[in-house]
Amino acid sequence: MSKYKPTIGLEIHAELKTQTKMFCSCLNDPHDAEPNTNVCPVCLAHPGSLPVINKKAVESIVKVGLAVGGEVLEHSKFDRKSYFYPDLPKGYQISQYDLPLIKGGKLADVELERIHLEEDTGRLAHAEDGSLVDFNRAGVPLMELVTKPVIKSADEALLFARELQLLLRYLQISDADMDKGQMRVEANISISSGKKLGTKVELKNINSFKAVGDAIASEIERQTEILEKGEKVVQATRGWNENKKESFPQRIKEEANDYRYIPEPDLPPMDFTSGDGIDIKELEKELPELPWQKKKRFKKEYGFKDGDILERLIRDRGEAEFFEEAMSEIGKKDKALTTLVANYLDSDLIGLMKEGKTDWEGLKITPENFAELILLIDKGEATSKIVKTVLKEMFETGADPSQIIESGNLSKSGEDEVERAVDLVLSENKKAIDDFKKGKENALKFLLGQTMANLRGRGNPELVKKLLLERLSK
Ligand SMILES: [Zn+2]
């Protein structure tokens, strides 16, 4: 155990998926392949253009605030944060300084400082003969959430980031995909052996969950080594190099007043008491069941214990909803059936979806058909041998399982028939078996054809192939 205790605070930015940008009516599509198409005089900072507040973006932040139990400030405002960088057309960013939309709150046992709304910057691309700017992202609504410096380890920080991503997805206000830059994590880290806090280092460029854990752990180690040598940690901003697994110095940290914050003169202060169009009570009613509430209910209603399968069901709102719909089709909360549904859903169906790059919206299997398959398994009418085959066909065609079993002769009695046919064909075709064992792929096709002919087409080719291979490998 190190004698130095880490103190970590996180600053997390997330792009909101509103229809339009924060202060203009440009399409909010920062990942548009064609650069500089979602732009207008407002987000390009042409003189005389005026910003207008995107109400949906404000409501999104208020929802996050309500979900984490923060205080929604009835009087809030936007401020100009000045700095000069080529991706910032105005020379300042519209952000919030002393009156953020949300103060306080708590998520995953971590106390929050504030949550505010600002606009994203454009993006630079560096080419050999110069730099290029794409302003599609300029003016995209951006949430900034700041935790209090109360996180004690890299693992705790990672857990927090995951919980926040999950919350944003449940609220459907951001996809919060770190790989796509939709969620960006910065960490302030210091270590100290006494009561007095150590010197703070800000870590940026953390672009994946893995990097959140790695970067923070590595920074704690780096600072520990410095102090062990009797040297001093320098207050600075450092970037994380994912490939090298090490941080590098970026710049000496600016003081807050370097940004010369001033209230944004082109936007009226927000006042939720005077019917500014934001109805906090209404937004509270719109909140969906939150991840931690769902988890609690799943334990109570379905008898789940803490563990991986519950975590995975909750982590994907689509999966949790499919599970519940299938359970309601089954109509009873039997422990064995619950386990069957959860397992076949979480391993087999999710596996097929990943393979076929299918999302919940594009899924052809209905919860009703899925429930029917589970009941067939439970009754022993669909044996483990054929379940995968049936499920695959359901996945591809959306057909119902009884039909697939019927037409493919996959019922229990049909399966016996197929087994008999396979054994018969194998006993009559010793040469083909030898050929197959010598590596002739065609021999398998021949045996498959013979078996299908024997079954007069009433066999499922997948099952026949599976049984043939099983026997041939003996
Ligand atoms: Zn615009």
Side-chain angles (χ1 to χ4, degrees), residues 21 24-26 38-40 42-43:
K21 287 189 180 181
C24 59
S25 53
C26 286
N38 304 319
V39 291
C40 74
V42 175
C43 54

Side-chain angles (χ1 to χ4, degrees), residues 13 19 216 232 327 457 474:
H13 286 91
Q19 199 68 36
I216 294 173
K232 274 187 182 153
M327 286 307 294
K474 269 180 199 157

